[in-house]
Amino acid sequence: MRGARLPAANGTRDSCLRFWRALPAVVLSVWTVGTAGAALPETSPVAAAAQPDNGANSSPVSDREARELAEEVKKELLHAWSGYEHDAWGHDELRPLSGKPRDWYGESLMMTPVDALDTLIVMGLKEQADKARTLIDQELSFDKDVYVKNFEITIRLLGGLLSSYELSGDKRLLELAQNLGERLLPVFSSPTGLPYVEVNLRTGKVRNASSNPAETGSLLLEFGKLSKLTGNPVYYDKAKRALVGTYQRRSAIGLVGDGIDVETGQWTGRESHISGGIDSYYEYLWKCWKLFGDKDCLDMWNHSIAAANRYLADDANGELWYGQADMDTGKRTSTYYGALDAFFPGLLAFSGDLERARRLHASSVQMWNLNGIEPEVLNYRTKHVEYPGYPLRPEIIESTYYLYHLTGDPRYRIIGRGLWRDFVKYCRSENGYAGLKSVITKEKRDGMESFLFAETFKYFYLLFSPPGALDFDHIVFNTEAHPLRRLNAPVRAASDQAGAAAPFVVRTADRKASISIDTSAAPELQEWAQTKLAGTLALWYPQITAMLPSDSFAAPTHVNITFKPQPGVAETEGTEVTGNSTWFKSQLEGEAVGAMIHEMVHVVQQYGDRDPEPFPGWLTEGIADYVRFFKFEPDYHGADDVWLKKQNPAKIRFDGGYRPTANFLDWVTRKYDPQIVVQLNILARQGTYREDVWQEKSGKTLLELGHEWQADKAGLQQP
């Protein structure tokens, strides 16, 4: 989680930490009550091994040890989850030292269950995931008269609901996400389009115009994904306007400040950095490009990262750090780096800048090793800890995971093992995990934020687990580590969540239509639908539309495809297509994709029942197979003369089946009129079809054409 900042240890905004903006009092209350931490219980399953690596143990992490470490992470998550279940079930968080629940706004929004759900799914903890999902489905409501922080609610709850929906296929989660998205939309009502900080979930009233780039520019992953899943562009458009609006207010040298008034668009803080309050702004520029393929985001990233690397990067005694600078002049203002900044090596690696990523990660590990765990703020020039707290942050683990995945360098698992040992040693409590008041004294705080489950445990687990635990190459993590599926890409979680498969939406290649594909009743078709069917339909739906034009006709802009057990192969009613999952499963390497092309032709045809004379059914189906077998897959030989030769041409009628009709139409287009199919399509849509059209186009009646076609094809008869 980025964007949030903690105050100085004495509760004041110390001048040397002026870039660390305080969280709202309701969020900070957990950090202002200190409780002495308990020693690591002897019963801990990893107590004996919880010794800091800190580079001393440089032995490679074998595949076997990695699996063992992944299991340790899973067991420790269950330890913390058990504490939450026992003492705070249904509440936002557990206070792990006092064993008391805590709700951010006086009423629970189920921060921990929602934030944790996709991690439980990824780890294959089906029992816990099902219980959490049932709680959310049945009891979570956003109809509450409370003001909430838009940024935190978006990254934790909206992101968590969307990710868990994509992993589980539970449509109730998408319904909740859409309901929440609607309640958050009023934040964008400022004159600039930049979002207000807070919104009342019931009334829609907004307040607090004093924001920062992280909160104004880190919403597009979640709101954009909501648009893609619901087909409603309003969420994407508003969040993108806010991101672009933030970018457009950058200085002449390309930097943004750390405070902005959303009503005036004026900067209220002119210090620039990569830390809390700006951090995820950079993150989302790159990730929105990766998730949505939005080139505007790529362009903004390229300009922004160049400025950050020029003015914020600081080579201090041969070590790479990123500090603070004046947004207008680029002059260095401070030399602070902290736990939140440690996400940046991962972002650099993800964007392809491995050299800077490695160097900055080495500095981040050095910061951790100074005290056996990282502080919130370090002066990297003096190595003095400016703020010693540690609220269980995940960022350095996140970067370690990114670098290991992207490079395969075994050193990152060695480093990760050391981080894990330290983390367990100093943060484990009797019924959970507790943040630290000080990384120097190791005194614990009575706080266990939900991002422990969403991020910290997840990144540790993924670092050590086999690659198949989550398909990194087909997802993008939001800033709360909720994996969101890239366009046309599968996500394979370890658990398969009771075999459920989430519906998904693919945009057509011309960006004019969307196709929703639902395999929730046939999860065995999910990977095929995502990897083979979706891309094909995205490319061919516009081509089919172009093949069957008519005046004043616009093809449907949204199509729903559902696979489920049913008779036959497939059927189409309007824009609703259903496929027999049993048949399609048997034809994944055969006719499955082609059969769905046939149905897409029906969607585009939109002939309906016309009076006085309906369009013949044999022609409706024949045109669909003509497009399929003679345009889409001619090499399949499903209706051409190669196929016909295997039949009995002398006994096949031109109107006696889909494929014979397709062959007949191809014959007519080649011998008499190449536009006959287009003309038939126009007449069918107009409801003006008459059989004499054949004579107009060829000089022969339909029956005469049929006899001639049959005579021509009779010579194909096999001896």
Side-chain angles (χ1 to χ4, degrees):
M1 177 197 71
R2 286 170 278 285
R5 302 169 174 180
L6 294 172
N10 60 6
T12 64
R13 294 194 183 189
D14 189 292
S15 60
C16 74
L17 301 176
R18 60 187 179 277
F19 67 98
W20 291 83
R21 303 166 69 90
L23 288 172
V26 67
V27 181
L28 290 174
S29 60
V30 68
W31 299 104
T32 58
V33 180
T35 304
L40 184 68
E42 292 183 1
T43 55
S44 164
V46 292
Q51 301 298 323
D53 256 82
N54 292 339
N57 180 7
S58 58
S59 61
V61 177
S62 66
D63 289 344
R64 178 178 178 180
E65 184 183 6
R67 290 192 296 270
E68 292 171 350
L69 286 166
E71 285 303 310
E72 285 183 12
V73 175
K74 190 183 296 188
K75 289 177 182 177
E76 288 306 295
L77 176 140
L78 287 173
H79 166 71
W81 185 254
S82 177
Y84 170 77
E85 276 193 304
H86 186 269
D87 294 324
W89 186 245
H91 291 276
D92 284 340
E93 294 172 1
L94 167 68
R95 297 181 186 269
L97 303 182
S98 62
K100 295 180 180 179
R102 171 178 173 264
D103 294 319
W104 280 32
Y105 304 106
E107 299 180 61
S108 176
L109 292 173
M110 299 190 187
M111 297 286 188
T112 291
V114 175
D115 234 0
L117 180 53
D118 60 21
T119 302
L120 297 173
I121 295 172
V122 167
M123 289 188 180
L125 298 171
K126 186 177 184 304
E127 178 182 347
Q128 291 77 14
D130 285 348
K131 185 175 180 180
R133 191 160 51 85
T134 299
L135 174 71
I136 294 165
D137 285 354
Q138 297 180 355
E139 299 187 26
L140 178 57
S141 170
F142 297 117
D143 185 21
K144 299 182 186 298
D145 188 14
V146 294
Y147 280 89
V148 301
K149 284 202 69 176
N150 174 63
F151 172 77
E152 296 291 346
I153 297 303
T154 296
I155 66 172
R156 298 192 194 211
L157 296 187
L158 185 56
L161 289 168
L162 292 169
S163 172
S164 294
Y165 163 69
E166 289 195 313
L167 287 170
S168 71
D170 184 344
K171 293 183 179 180
R172 172 61 179 157
L173 298 176
L174 180 58
E175 292 173 1
L176 286 166
Q178 188 167 12
N179 180 268
L180 177 58
E182 287 294 321
R183 294 174 185 273
L184 295 176
L185 278 180
V187 298
F188 297 104
S189 63
S190 74
T192 64
L194 301 177
Y196 286 95
V197 174
E198 296 175 89
V199 61
N200 186 295
L201 289 178
R202 177 171 294 168
T203 68
K205 293 181 179 179
V206 293
R207 69 186 187 190
N208 195 350
S210 180
S211 193
N212 56 63
E215 298 199 18
T216 60
S218 305
L219 305 170
L220 185 51
L221 290 183
E222 298 84 4
F223 278 86
K225 172 58 74 170
L226 184 60
S227 279
K228 302 304 180 185
L229 291 175
T230 63
N232 186 348
V234 65
Y235 311 109
Y236 192 103
D237 293 345
K238 288 186 178 295
K240 183 177 177 181
R241 181 190 178 197
L243 176 58
V244 173
T246 304
Y247 169 78
Q248 290 175 336
R249 289 171 170 81
R250 71 197 186 282
S251 70
I253 63 173
L255 296 177
V256 294
D258 59 355
I260 191 168
D261 188 306
V262 304
E263 293 182 337
T264 66
Q266 298 299 308
W267 292 106
T268 59
R270 308 193 75 82
E271 191 168 56
S272 192
H273 48 78
I274 62 162
S275 193
I278 299 180
D279 46 10
S280 53
Y281 162 73
Y282 286 107
E283 179 184 7
Y284 276 39
L285 289 176
W286 176 253
K287 288 186 174 180
C288 289
W289 156 245
K290 297 299 288 185
L291 182 61
F292 303 121
D294 191 322
K295 194 174 183 299
D296 291 339
C297 294
L298 177 61
D299 292 340
M300 291 188 288
W301 160 263
N302 286 333
H303 287 102
S304 299
I305 193 60
N309 287 337
R310 180 175 180 181
Y311 297 108
L312 303 181
D314 190 1
D315 196 312
N317 300 317
E319 302 163 0
L320 179 63
W321 301 86
Y322 279 66
Q324 294 68 45
D326 183 282
M327 68 175 286
D328 298 303
T329 66
K331 182 180 178 180
R332 180 75 53 210
T333 56
S334 304
T335 55
Y336 300 126
Y337 188 90
L340 282 170
D341 305 64
F343 86 100
F344 212 63
L347 180 59
L348 289 171
F350 193 25
S351 67
D353 192 349
L354 287 173
E355 181 181 356
R356 281 194 183 91
R358 287 181 183 275
R359 292 187 64 203
L360 187 59
H361 184 266
S363 298
S364 303
V365 174
Q366 180 189 149
M367 176 179 66
W368 179 285
N369 286 341
L370 286 173
N371 292 284
I373 208 155
E374 65 186 357
E376 279 291 87
V377 189
L378 174 76
N379 186 318
Y380 58 80
R381 287 280 180 174
T382 66
K383 301 300 189 287
H384 180 263
V385 174
E386 302 290 345
Y387 179 66
Y390 174 68
L392 308 174
R393 291 209 186 276
E395 282 77 10
I396 191 171
I397 308 148
E398 172 186 359
S399 287
T400 306
Y401 163 62
Y402 271 83
L403 276 161
Y404 177 73
H405 176 83
L406 293 168
T407 69
D409 191 331
R411 82 177 75 177
Y412 294 110
R413 270 188 168 172
I414 296 171
I415 291 170
R417 177 178 58 195
L419 300 177
W420 171 243
R421 298 300 186 215
D422 290 341
F423 178 76
V424 174
K425 178 179 180 179
Y426 295 122
C427 299
R428 195 180 200 271
S429 66
E430 186 175 352
N431 64 342
Y433 272 72
L436 301 180
K437 294 178 74 174
S438 170
V439 299
I440 300 170
T441 67
K442 307 302 189 292
E443 182 182 359
K444 290 185 173 69
R445 290 183 179 275
D446 198 10
M448 188 174 79
E449 287 214 45
S450 61
F451 62 70
L452 169 70
F453 297 98
E455 302 183 78
T456 310
F457 280 130
K458 182 185 286 137
Y459 284 129
F460 268 131
Y461 178 76
L462 292 174
L463 174 61
F464 299 123
S465 64
L470 189 68
D471 195 343
F472 177 95
D473 297 324
H474 291 106
I475 57 92
V476 172
F477 291 104
N478 83 335
T479 197
E480 191 79 1
H482 294 306
L484 302 172
R485 182 182 299 125
R486 296 191 201 183
L487 193 64
N488 299 344
V491 171
R492 291 184 289 274
S495 65
D496 194 28
Q497 192 61 19
F504 63 97
V505 177
V506 58
R507 294 286 290 180
T508 54
D510 61 357
R511 312 296 293 173
K512 293 181 179 180
S514 59
I515 301 171
S516 173
I517 302 177
D518 185 351
T519 60
S520 55
E524 68 276 10
L525 296 179
Q526 178 82 337
E527 183 173 353
W528 165 79
Q530 293 169 327
T531 59
K532 292 187 178 181
L533 180 64
T536 302
L537 298 187
L539 180 65
W540 272 86
Y541 186 79
Q543 294 188 44
I544 294 169
T545 300
M547 290 177 196
L548 301 175
S550 59
D551 292 341
S552 302
F553 173 78
T557 58
H558 187 75
V559 182
N560 293 313
I561 300 174
T562 303
F563 291 97
K564 61 183 180 180
Q566 66 176 33
V569 174
E571 61 181 2
T572 298
E573 294 186 9
T575 60
E576 298 292 325
V577 181
T578 56
N580 178 357
S581 56
T582 302
W583 184 88
F584 276 88
K585 182 180 178 181
S586 71
Q587 291 292 325
L588 293 184
E589 301 301 324
E591 299 199 13
V593 174
M596 198 49 63
I597 290 290
H598 179 105
E599 299 305 317
M600 289 301 99
V601 176
H602 288 330
V603 171
V604 172
Q605 285 173 326
Q606 293 291 307
Y607 295 164
D609 293 327
R610 301 285 188 173
D611 289 327
E613 183 177 341
F615 194 63
W618 63 271
L619 268 177
T620 300
E621 299 294 346
I623 289 174
D625 259 12
Y626 168 76
V627 171
R628 173 188 173 183
F629 289 118
F630 291 93
K631 301 299 181 181
F632 171 66
E633 51 182 0
D635 293 339
Y636 185 77
H637 305 300
D640 62 3
D641 288 354
V642 174
W643 170 83
L644 195 61
K645 186 176 181 180
K646 299 175 183 178
Q647 315 305 313
N648 187 347
K651 294 184 178 180
I652 293 179
R653 286 178 53 88
F654 65 90
D655 58 355
Y658 302 176
R659 300 188 189 206
T661 298
N663 189 286
F664 171 69
L665 289 172
D666 178 66
W667 177 81
V668 174
T669 62
R670 292 173 185 274
K671 190 166 186 176
Y672 289 104
D673 186 351
Q675 294 298 309
I676 186 65
V677 172
V678 173
Q679 185 61 38
L680 291 170
N681 173 73
I682 292 172
L683 296 175
R685 287 204 185 113
Q686 294 174 343
T688 57
Y689 170 78
R690 295 289 185 276
E691 268 195 18
D692 55 13
V693 67
W694 299 95
Q695 192 155 10
E696 293 173 5
K697 297 296 180 181
S698 68
K700 299 181 179 181
T701 67
L702 175 60
L703 191 58
E704 290 172 338
L705 286 171
H707 288 318
E708 184 180 350
W709 167 79
Q710 195 169 33
D712 278 0
K713 302 300 180 180
L716 298 173
Q717 181 73 47
Q718 291 180 331

